Amino acid sequence: MKYLSVLLCLFVVTHLLVAQDFKSEKTINDLLIALPTLLKTDREASILKINDALRLSERNGHYKFGQLCYWMGESLLSHSRYDSAGQFYQKSIPYLEKEQDEAILGRAYIGAGYVLNFQTRFTEALAFDLKAEKIFRKLNDQRMLARSLKRIGDDVYYHDDSRAQEALPYYQESIAISQAEKDTLNSIRALNAIVSIYTETQEYARADSAMADAIRLGELIKCYRCLAISYSQWGINDHKQGKFESAIAKYKKEFEMNKRLGADYDQFFVFQNIAEALIGLKRYDEALTYSEQSLKIAQSDVSWKHHYDAYKARYQALKGKGDAAGALLAYEKQMQFRDSLFSEEKEKILGGLRTTYDLERKELQIADLEKQNIINELEATTARQWQIGLIVFLVLLSVVVAVLNNRYRLKQRTAKVLDEKNSELQKLNGFKDRMFAVISHDLRNPVNAFSMLMESLHQNVQHATKEELQEFLQSTLQSARDLQSLLNNLLEWALVQIGRLPYQPQTIKLSEVISESSSHVELMADQKKIKITNETNGEIIFADKAMITIVVRNILSNAIKFSNVSSCVNISVKESANTIKMAIRDQGMGMMPEELNKLFKQEESTQDIGNSLEKGAGIGLLLCKDLMDKNNGRISVESVQGEGSVFYLELPKP
């Protein structure tokens, strides 16, 4: 009788546990069936329900955990919460791969790829989208195959527009499949994407044909957003050909579609494009009217880029009209907002560091709370089940042992994560200290100089002669340029230090780098009547083009800054078996040996080098050193006081 009672107790407990599992599975299955409809009717409720189901799944052996994570990604994406959506898509993938649920897995790959593309992480996005394509070809799911092909085209083209021909076949196949499947929306999206390639490769007739198809399909399904994008793309295609009248007509069609949608903010781009087309037609008064409309929209927004673009068009129209005073005012505004863009970028970097720190701290707090909740639930369950007989006690004891083991492992993992986070925080704090030291040391003097110039101008403006005012303005402009150059270098140096400046080496012509760098310093050279001579002849290097352009720009800027008026800056090249060695030689004041030893060292101040009035902060050379190291190159200098300096840049061949 005693053993019968024990068996009965064990049966009751086992029955309760199994019944709980079946009830949880039914709850999760019912939600998965209802989710597609729920996402369309109540997206907020869908997130709450999926969140509850995820907790339930975790307590029941991660039952259909992958599908729930995928749908959470879909829900968050519909709220434009891209980062969170991407995390859930990627979280779902290992479970879906294990469950071999290929239909949902393919969609999860596309979701993860879409978010990574949005984050400009194109290489990672391409890897996921290629996996999705493979699955949908295997399943013969033509509609999803077409969408994955369109995504692959976007990953390739947006990553590097020079790979347009590589992206083209994906768009073409996507269009063909979508048209066969009557997937009109994806057909329009792929047509709009492929037109960018046709326009860039000057295949204007093909672009016209594709846009005619896109607009016909957009009108068929009454998709005004699709039509707005198509007319915009078509207008740009005409604009590139110099067919300004035709482009304006299409931009106005885009205006009508935006008006239907109530997309008043998008009208900025319409007005801006029309203004630029009218400038091409030399109809400057009309261009100014549209420019004023785009400027009104820009003034309702905090985007400095839109202000900059609006004043740029206004400057071109006023200059073409011959209104020198108005053009000068517009140009000054344009430069003001360009400076604001640089300040905004710097603030974004610092804000990103602060946000990362806050998010990591909150995630740790949430993890601790979740652990505590799990512990509390387990303790309550244990207290209730201790009242059941001896067999139940043994069963619970086994559960407790397993839980304690899991807790021990969880604590070990948590400790490891905490150590990693602490290490990252120490690195961030170290960089912050270095950054603040550089800013406080090197930014103070240019700002003080600029402030003193402005104060002097304010005090003398009433009784100064025209020539004196001209000298004041010239000094102020030079000070502003120095400050702008310093801020550019600070921003780029900060991006290098935190690993946010992507390293993308490729085979490039050295002459292209020199040409692009020289264009940045032409005005500075013209003011001092300095001639830049270039003796390069088609040499090829293997490096990141953007980084090497920054290096050459800084060295040329310094060469001009420290050179005498009406002198020459010479660029020559010496080729060896594995490297290209470029020499940038100036005819300036030169440096003493003890001054040369201070270059490229962060702990040394370069403010007292030389006796020129145009002194630098030294950040540019620190940036050059870091960028050359990233590109497996070397930077060195030779100088003789009174005879000039030579900076050598040695870079690898392909």
Side-chain angles (χ1 to χ4, degrees), residues 284-436:
Y284 301 117
D285 288 328
E286 293 178 62
L288 285 171
T289 301
Y290 281 98
S291 177
E292 287 171 1
Q293 294 295 321
S294 65
L295 190 56
K296 285 180 182 178
I297 297 175
Q299 287 169 346
S300 67
D301 181 45
V302 296
S303 171
W304 303 129
K305 179 68 169 63
H306 291 169
H307 285 80
Y308 174 83
D309 290 340
Y311 277 111
K312 181 179 180 182
R314 189 167 183 80
Y315 161 73
Q316 292 172 342
L318 289 167
K319 181 180 178 183
K321 190 179 177 182
D323 184 351
L328 178 59
L329 182 61
Y331 181 77
E332 290 174 346
K333 285 284 189 181
Q334 180 187 349
M335 294 301 101
Q336 173 188 337
F337 286 109
R338 188 180 69 173
D339 292 341
S340 298
L341 274 171
F342 291 129
S343 298
E344 186 181 55
E345 267 317 298
K346 185 177 72 174
E347 185 57 33
K348 281 182 180 178
I349 292 172
L350 296 176
L353 292 174
R354 289 192 291 266
T355 302
T356 300
Y357 173 79
D358 291 339
L359 284 174
E360 289 174 350
R361 186 175 61 183
K362 288 178 181 177
E363 286 174 356
L364 289 174
Q365 291 173 346
I366 291 170
D368 288 338
L369 288 173
E370 289 180 347
K371 281 198 305 178
Q372 190 59 48
N373 288 336
I374 292 172
I375 292 169
N376 291 339
E377 290 177 7
L378 289 172
E379 289 175 348
T381 301
T382 303
R384 286 194 303 269
Q385 293 183 345
W386 266 102
Q387 299 174 5
I388 306 174
L390 181 60
I391 301 300
V392 178
F393 168 77
L394 294 174
V395 172
L396 289 176
L397 184 59
S398 300
V399 172
V400 170
V401 170
V403 170
L404 290 175
N405 183 48
N406 287 336
R407 283 184 58 195
Y408 173 75
R409 292 183 179 179
L410 180 61
K411 285 182 179 179
Q412 285 187 320
R413 290 196 297 269
T414 304
K416 183 178 179 181
V417 171
L418 285 172
D419 289 339
E420 292 173 353
K421 295 299 181 184
N422 284 334
S423 177
E424 291 177 7
L425 287 174
Q426 287 175 0
K427 289 181 182 177
L428 288 174
N429 283 330
F431 166 65
K432 178 200 68 177
D433 293 339
R434 291 177 67 195
M435 188 68 178
F436 285 164

Side-chain angles (χ1 to χ4, degrees), residues 194-205:
I194 206 170
V195 163
S196 298
I197 296 178
Y198 290 153
T199 300
E200 183 177 332
T201 56
Q202 299 182 1
E203 294 178 87
Y204 300 121

Side-chain angles (χ1 to χ4, degrees), residues 143 147 175 177-192 213-223 226:
R143 290 175 71 89
R147 297 190 178 202
I175 292 168
I177 295 173
S178 294
Q179 289 176 346
E181 292 294 314
K182 297 185 170 27
D183 187 352
T184 305
L185 188 58
N186 194 63
S187 294
I188 297 171
R189 289 171 176 168
L191 286 166
N192 285 335
D213 288 342
I215 288 171
R216 175 180 56 80
L217 294 172
E219 289 174 345
L220 184 67
I221 64 173
K222 305 297 182 187
C223 178
C226 302

Side-chain angles (χ1 to χ4, degrees), residues 414-578:
T414 304
K416 183 178 179 181
V417 171
L418 285 172
D419 289 339
E420 292 173 353
K421 295 299 181 184
N422 284 334
S423 177
E424 291 177 7
L425 287 174
Q426 287 175 0
K427 289 181 182 177
L428 288 174
N429 283 330
F431 166 65
K432 178 200 68 177
D433 293 339
R434 291 177 67 195
M435 188 68 178
F436 285 164
V438 170
I439 291 174
S440 64
H441 184 272
D442 294 319
L443 192 59
R444 185 184 301 164
N445 289 340
V447 172
N448 287 342
F450 188 86
S451 177
M452 290 173 63
L453 280 171
M454 295 307 296
E455 183 177 351
S456 179
L457 177 60
H458 176 70
Q459 292 174 353
N460 295 283
V461 70
Q462 297 295 332
H463 52 79
T465 65
K466 183 176 180 181
E467 290 75 19
E468 290 173 335
L469 286 174
Q470 183 65 30
E471 290 179 4
F472 270 119
L473 289 173
Q474 185 65 30
S475 298
T476 303
L477 179 59
Q478 185 60 47
S479 181
R481 286 174 181 159
D482 290 343
L483 188 56
Q484 175 189 335
S485 176
L486 174 58
L487 288 173
N488 282 343
N489 286 335
L490 273 173
L491 175 59
E492 290 161 350
W493 182 68
L495 289 172
V496 172
Q497 295 301 306
I498 63 176
R500 293 287 295 276
L501 194 65
Y503 173 59
Q504 299 172 338
Q506 58 180 313
T507 300
I508 52 175
K509 288 185 178 180
L510 191 57
S511 58
E512 294 178 358
V513 173
I514 293 173
S515 175
E516 186 171 339
S517 302
S518 299
S519 68
H520 288 283
V521 297
E522 280 181 351
L523 182 60
M524 183 179 177
D526 291 342
Q527 287 178 342
K528 296 185 71 172
K529 299 180 180 178
I530 292 175
K531 183 178 180 182
I532 301 174
T533 60
N534 180 9
E535 298 178 6
T536 59
N537 188 25
E539 292 81 5
I540 302 296
I541 60 174
F542 183 76
D544 185 298
K545 184 178 180 181
M547 291 184 181
I548 301 307
T549 301
I550 292 171
V551 174
V552 177
R553 183 193 71 203
N554 270 282
I555 301 302
L556 283 176
S557 177
N558 284 344
I560 294 168
K561 182 183 294 184
F562 291 101
S563 289
N564 298 320
V565 175
S566 300
S567 61
C568 179
V569 174
N570 176 258
I571 303 172
S572 61
V573 170
K574 184 177 181 181
E575 190 169 353
S576 65
N578 300 315

